[in-house]
Amino acid sequence: MKILITGGGGFIGSHLSERLLKEGHNVIILDNFHTGSRDNVRHLLDNHYLEIIRHDVVDPLPLEVDQIYNLACPASPIHYQRSPMKTVLTSVIGAINVLTLARDIHARVLQASTSEIYGSPLEHPQKEDYWGNVNTIGPRSCYDEGKRVAETLFFDFHREAGVDIRVARIFNTYGPRMCAYDGRVVSNLVLQALRNEPITIFGDGSQTRSFCYVDELVDGLIRLMNCAGFTGPVNLGNPDERSIKSVAELIIKLCDSKSEIVYREMPKDDPNRRKPDISLADRALNWRPKISLEEGLPKVIEYFRPISKTCAPPTKRPN
Ligand code: NAD
Ligand code: UDP
């Protein structure tokens, strides 16, 4: 098949591209390289089945493909809060553009939605029928509300125009090729530990997240895309819930680091708890992650080891 991946030059997109090329598909990566990088896909450039187009999803997309994965959007708080208006445009106009394309060429289109649509959840673990608890005017709102409107658009195009849609709600994902300076907890803490610098925990570290290794997430996306008659939305994430403090301690141990933990102010609207209920993904897609943080983190540490020896640009997390 001919498959378009918007945001294919990013962290998840590069792994998805690699996997789809391995399966023998023609892959078109469309990316404005706002947060992604050609380095993420440099090892794939010799593959004749890969095409890379520098393009912004906010502009209409004139292409002929069978399937579209819509991943284009900055994903880390530092990145999406740097230009919040652009984040909203990317999510909303980007969704309209991929949906219009899918409608016109009769392609199937998958939206990379997010656990952030649940906001700071009042139900735990989060199930797909929970509507969420989201601040409409806070610093995270550009991302959360942009992704919520994108979901709305996907289901409106499906009902009104019969577009063949899939919606995945992705929970925190980690792995090699995460952007080194995106301020996310795994990339930040691994680099700090490898450099024996202070490990920054925001708040008291009791807030939780559930981390999925990228290969398993990619497997879930492909299963969803190719599952007949199932639109989602469906949670994709590892339900193994960890406190941020315990993640910091694990990273220090795995890096054999001399770093000490320091506590910093909690960013505004930082969700307190997050854990996916994945019983729907299990039933509909026969998908359940098996890779533990203890198995996955060493691969990220090896990826970041050479990077940790290079000069670090400043990362200031906005409040
Ligand atoms: P990433 O920032 O590494 O990748 C996003 C890619 O989209 C980048 O290559 C970037 O250059 C590109 N992009 C951004 N704006 C664009 C635009 N206007 N036009 C074209 N390209 C654009 O992030 P990621 O972690 O790989 O996330 C991929 C997708 O998955 C995002 O949509 C994100 O919201 C979603 N997601 C990720 C996670 C996670 O934990 N990584 C969790 C939930 C949802
Ligand atoms: N976090 C932290 N120290 C850091 C970076 C992040 O304690 O250096 C915390 C952050 O406040 C949040 C959690 O780790 O509670 C996950 O943050 P991340 O940005 O990776 O993902 P998100 O908040 O979008 O789930």
Side-chain angles (χ1 to χ4, degrees), residues 6-14 30-37 40 55-58 70-76 79 86 90 111-116 143 147 169-174 177-179 182 184:
T6 76
F11 159 53
I12 296 175
S14 67
L30 182 145
D31 205 300
N32 68 354
F33 296 105
H34 173 51
T35 55
S37 159
N40 287 338
H55 185 91
D56 198 304
V57 282
V58 166
N70 186 35
L71 271 58
C73 187
S76 83
H79 284 156
K86 177 69 183 186
T90 296
Q111 167 67 357
S113 190
T114 167
S115 52
E116 288 285 328
Y143 183 70
K147 289 282 186 178
R169 290 184 180 153
I170 303 170
F171 282 64
N172 295 63
T173 302
Y174 71 103
R177 302 207 282 273
M178 294 183 84
C179 173
D182 64 3
R184 283 192 254 200

